[in-house]
């Protein structure tokens, strides 16, 4: 935290800018107050109390200071360049400070708009060798990481559902991280999911954020909304005489939650399935792909990464996950599609990582 808050403060007020004393004092007080308040706000907002006002302030502070930190880091290179060009102090430091502030403000404004908008539709074709001819052209809509949370996005949720319904899907999937908070507090934001239309199936699996609170309650609530909660189990859909196994597993973190019966269990999810049929698997995290390959899955759908959400956080995500977003192949049979996510977690910003509603069209091999 000292580095995260300290580098922007140094860039603006201590690196040779030589602003008038009142400006430096006011800026220092502002950064010091944010530095002290931030962990308190995060605890009040995301701890047992779930104070939404604190979460909104803490999350926004996190996003702002991260962007300031990243561009203050880039400002070091600008400072060196201006020094080589012969620009003297305090003009050099002031130019760096103003540049960092302008870039950060523009990106934060743009990132807020990107986070709050209805996601763009991303269309992807996936060829599956074992898919029967009767399922050629099957349309699957993937939403994930809606993260209904301290910012009331009920209207946004309604508009997302309207966009999904406009795609005329055969199957609609939600691959977890539905909300941050208990069902009772997020019920209104999740309610529009009950009206999602799909010809054959609406399927849901848990993400890691469900296991911060009420995973079983969210499974039960999605059943109440008319979705199939694929809690380590599968269903079979059929069209024009061809069949497809649609399976789901709990999130990779479920086994550490202490909830009885909650863990990612691919064997249980596929128990009794005809091995000759193609398998579509819902699993929240891309790194669950290893077990999918071992169990002969044809296509896994995942989210979790948010595409990094705020650049360049994707570099840290890649340390934990095998892919960031898009379609990838693993082993001889298995493909993985990783969504950037439909909503956002925490800071209400998306910078160089746009949200998406994904329309996947399956093609027979």
């Amino acid at each position: 935290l000292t580095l995260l808050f300290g580098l922007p403060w140094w860039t603006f007020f201590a690196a040779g800018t030589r602003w008038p004393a009142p400006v430096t004092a006011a800026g220092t007080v502002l950064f010091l107050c944010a530095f002290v308040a931030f962990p308190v706000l995060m605890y009040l907002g995301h701890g047992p109390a779930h104070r939404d006002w604190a979460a909104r302030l803490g999350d926004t502070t996190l996003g702002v200071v991260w962007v300031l930190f990243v561009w203050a880091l880039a400002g070091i290179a600008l400072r060196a360049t201006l020094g080589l060009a012969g620009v003297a102090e305090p003009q050099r430091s002031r130019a760096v400070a103003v540049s960092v502030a302008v870039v950060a403000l523009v990106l934060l404004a743009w990132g807020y708009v990107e986070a709050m908008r209805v996601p763009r539709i991303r269309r992807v074709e996936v060829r599956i060798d074992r898919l029967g001819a009767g399922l050629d052209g099957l349309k699957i809509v993937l939403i994930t990481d809606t993260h209904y949370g301290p910012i009331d996005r009920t209207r946004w949720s309604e508009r997302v559902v309207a966009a999904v319904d406009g795609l005329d899907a055969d199957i609609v999937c939600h691959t977890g991280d539905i909300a941050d908070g208990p069902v009772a507090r997020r019920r209104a934001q999740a309610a529009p999911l009950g009206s999602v239309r799909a010809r054959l199936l609406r399927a849901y699996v848990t993400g890691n954020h469900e296991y911060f609170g009420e995973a079983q309650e969210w499974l039960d609530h999605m059943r109440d909304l008319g979705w199939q909660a694929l809690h380590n189990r599968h269903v079979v859909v059929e069209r024009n005489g061809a069949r497809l196994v649609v399976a789901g597993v709990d999130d990779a973190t479920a086994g550490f939650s202490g909830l009885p019966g909650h863990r990612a269990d691919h064997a249980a999810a596929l128990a009794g399935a005809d091995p000759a049929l193609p398998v579509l698997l819902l699993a929240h995290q891309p790194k669950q792909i290893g077990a999918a390959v071992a169990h002969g899955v044809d296509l896994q759908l995942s989210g979790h990464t948010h595409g990094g959400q705020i650049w360049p956080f994707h570099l840290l995500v890649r340390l934990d996950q095998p892919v960031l977003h898009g379609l990838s192949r693993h082993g001889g049979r298995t493909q993985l599609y990783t969504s950037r996510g439909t909503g956002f977690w925490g800071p209400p910003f998306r910078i160089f990582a746009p949200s998406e509603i994904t329309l996947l069209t399956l093609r027979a091999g």
Side-chain angles (χ1 to χ4, degrees), residues 332-365:
R333 172 188 294 178
T334 307
Q335 297 180 78
L336 165 66
Y337 184 81
T338 305
S339 168
R340 290 189 181 98
T342 309
F344 60 87
W345 173 85
F349 307 106
R350 273 188 172 268
I351 298 174
F352 304 130
S355 56
E356 65 179 81
I357 297 169
T358 316
L359 173 61
L360 298 111
T361 303
L362 303 191
R363 294 299 180 189

Side-chain angles (χ1 to χ4, degrees), residues 121-124 139-142 167 357-361:
I121 308 301
R122 188 173 188 187
R123 291 173 167 81
V124 181
K139 293 195 292 185
I140 301 172
V141 172
L142 171 61
L167 297 174
I357 297 169
T358 316
L359 173 61
L360 298 111
T361 303

Side-chain angles (χ1 to χ4, degrees), residues 11 34 37-38 49 51 55 68 71 77 88 93 102-103 131 152 195 213-214 324 346 349 355:
T11 299
F38 173 68
R51 304 291 186 187
L68 289 174
W71 292 99
S93 290
V102 168
V103 170
L131 193 71
D152 186 355
S195 63
E214 298 184 344
L324 190 67
F349 307 106
S355 56

Side-chain angles (χ1 to χ4, degrees), residues 133-157:
L135 289 170
D136 185 74
L138 188 80
K139 293 195 292 185
I140 301 172
V141 172
L142 171 61
I143 59 175
T144 184
D145 299 275
T146 43
H147 286 283
Y148 300 126
I151 297 175
D152 186 355
R153 286 180 291 144
T154 303
R155 177 58 184 147
W156 175 87
S157 183

Side-chain angles (χ1 to χ4, degrees), residues 20-227:
V23 173
T24 301
T28 300
V29 169
L30 177 63
F31 269 90
L32 184 59
C33 289
F35 174 78
V36 172
F38 173 68
V40 176
L41 291 170
M42 293 299 279
Y43 177 76
L44 291 175
H46 297 285
H50 282 294
R51 304 291 186 187
D52 282 350
W53 65 267
R56 288 191 292 270
L57 288 173
D59 292 344
T60 302
T61 300
L62 176 60
V64 170
V65 77
W66 170 256
V67 172
L68 289 174
F69 171 80
V70 167
W71 292 99
L73 201 60
I76 294 174
L78 176 59
R79 182 183 306 279
T81 302
L82 293 176
L84 292 173
V87 179
E89 296 288 16
Q91 286 75 19
R92 181 169 68 224
S93 290
R94 289 182 178 182
V96 171
V98 170
S99 298
V100 170
V102 168
V103 170
L105 285 172
V106 169
L107 289 178
L108 287 167
W110 173 61
Y112 179 79
V113 171
E114 282 291 305
M116 303 304 290
R117 63 167 292 155
V118 173
R120 299 169 181 85
I121 308 301
R122 188 173 188 187
R123 291 173 167 81
V124 181
E125 285 201 355
V126 184
R127 188 165 298 279
I128 297 178
D129 292 340
R130 300 197 302 160
L131 193 71
L135 289 170
D136 185 74
L138 188 80
K139 293 195 292 185
I140 301 172
V141 172
L142 171 61
I143 59 175
T144 184
D145 299 275
T146 43
H147 286 283
Y148 300 126
I151 297 175
D152 186 355
R153 286 180 291 144
T154 303
R155 177 58 184 147
W156 175 87
S157 183
E158 294 170 350
R159 293 167 64 200
V160 167
V161 168
V164 169
D165 286 347
L167 297 174
D168 196 26
D170 297 296
I171 298 173
V172 177
C173 304
H174 193 307
T175 54
D177 280 7
I178 189 170
D180 295 301
V183 172
R185 186 163 292 186
R186 309 302 179 215
R187 187 184 302 273
Q189 294 183 60
L193 294 176
S195 63
V196 168
R197 295 196 300 267
R199 289 192 186 89
L200 302 177
L201 176 68
R202 298 182 295 174
Y204 160 75
V205 295
T206 55
N208 59 304
H209 278 246
E210 279 85 334
Y211 291 98
F212 295 158
E214 298 184 344
Q216 187 59 54
E217 287 79 0
W218 277 110
L219 285 166
D220 295 340
H221 186 62
M222 288 298 278
R223 289 191 190 100
D224 292 342
L225 291 177
W227 290 62

